[in-house]
Amino acid sequence: MRKAFLEPTADQTFEVVGDGPYNFVQVLERSRRMQESGDVEGACNERFQAFQRLAALIPEDEEVNLEWSHRNSRAALELIRASAIDHFLINDFEMSAALLELLLELDPEDHLEGSELLAFDYLAMDEQELFDEVINDVSDKAASREVLLLWSAYRRDGSLPEGELKRFRTRFAPYFAEFTADSHPADAAYLQDIESEHPSLAAQARELWLQTENLWVLWPGFIEALKARRVEA
């Protein structure tokens, strides 16, 4: 009996069926417990190995869309995204992008909004053409899109486009304030706010900063350019 296989559905999608290491619901939960207990490296390894097992199940010459409503298939997709985040945070942008590209192949509807992180990966790799292809899949209601557009322009020609800058400063004021602040503490007040049922925009802005802080350590010039414009009305 096979330990794992892809079960076709009537909707022309596939469900990942399997036990043990292919029970991705259990693997995902185990990785979360490991991370919460402080075993971050172990959790990262758990997620990446789960991705490797899943990837081995996917035929190279066939389009496979996983069924989002199926628990094990959804957990498999969540593990791919989580591993992409793991690699992003250690500045392995190429592997992070590869994981996200697979995620979008398996889930073209992008339920987990992998396009956003993929756009950051592409800019970090200075893949502007690939960035141009994916940025349209990032919601124009998301502050992250404005950060991406501003950073893309800055990476291209070293300047901030006035229209995007004005939009960022006015429509996403708490995010502009956060990205031009001198400190970004993940203190008790922030944690209480972001973990609440309705986190404030200020807390959400700090969350985006903290999620992308590794980029600004590598490319501080972009943040300095933003800060230079914070005194304007």
Side-chain angles (χ1 to χ4, degrees):
M1 182 177 178
R2 289 176 293 174
K3 291 185 177 180
F5 58 93
L6 297 176
E7 180 74 38
T9 74
D11 296 323
Q12 297 185 329
T13 59
F14 291 85
E15 296 175 352
V16 183
V17 178
D19 297 318
Y22 295 93
N23 185 329
F24 293 117
V25 174
Q26 291 183 359
V27 175
L28 181 62
E29 181 57 34
R30 183 165 63 248
S31 73
R32 287 171 175 166
R33 291 198 304 268
M34 293 171 74
Q35 182 139 348
E36 289 170 359
S37 68
D39 185 7
V40 176
E41 182 178 357
C44 291
N45 290 336
E46 188 84 8
R47 290 188 281 261
F48 187 63
Q49 289 164 9
F51 148 72
Q52 290 177 312
R53 292 193 296 274
L54 175 65
L57 291 177
I58 308 298
E60 295 182 3
D61 56 350
E62 183 178 349
E63 181 179 341
V64 173
N65 295 342
L66 295 187
E67 178 55 51
W68 176 252
S69 64
H70 183 248
R71 280 189 73 208
N72 201 49
S73 303
R74 184 186 306 184
L77 295 170
E78 290 175 340
L79 282 162
I80 295 175
R81 179 179 182 273
S83 189
I85 293 172
D86 293 338
H87 285 86
F88 173 82
L89 292 175
I90 61 171
N91 301 332
D92 188 349
F93 305 117
E94 187 172 349
M95 178 57 75
S96 178
L99 284 158
L100 292 167
E101 287 166 353
L102 175 62
L103 177 66
L104 292 173
E105 288 177 13
L106 297 176
D107 178 33
E109 294 186 30
D110 196 11
H111 290 91
L112 296 172
E113 299 181 348
S115 296
E116 178 182 310
L117 184 58
L118 184 56
F120 278 110
D121 279 325
Y122 283 156
L123 281 188
M125 297 159 64
D126 203 21
E127 294 284 358
Q128 292 282 359
E129 290 185 6
L130 293 174
F131 170 80
D132 289 342
E133 292 177 8
V134 78
I135 188 60
N136 290 330
D137 295 325
V138 180
S139 171
D140 60 5
K141 297 179 181 178
S144 57
R145 177 182 170 88
E146 292 305 314
V147 174
L148 284 161
L149 290 171
L150 285 165
W151 189 35
S152 173
Y154 187 81
R155 292 221 68 184
R156 290 177 202 255
D157 56 29
S159 63
L160 300 174
E162 293 299 327
E164 295 297 343
L165 183 61
K166 181 179 180 180
R167 179 180 167 87
F168 188 44
R169 184 190 288 117
T170 55
R171 184 172 179 181
F172 301 101
Y175 290 84
F176 180 78
E178 183 66 36
F179 273 69
T180 57
D182 293 325
S183 63
H184 315 268
D187 52 19
Y190 160 73
L191 292 173
Q192 182 178 2
D193 191 341
I194 199 64
E195 293 170 0
S196 67
E197 186 175 355
H198 300 290
S200 67
L201 286 175
Q204 293 176 56
R206 181 158 303 173
E207 181 180 48
L208 180 60
W209 168 273
L210 294 171
Q211 289 171 339
T212 57
E213 186 174 14
N214 59 308
L215 295 174
W216 319 133
V217 172
L218 293 173
W219 291 281
F222 170 62
I223 300 302
E224 293 304 319
L226 283 177
K227 286 182 177 181
R229 306 298 295 273
R230 64 184 170 185
V231 297
E232 300 174 11

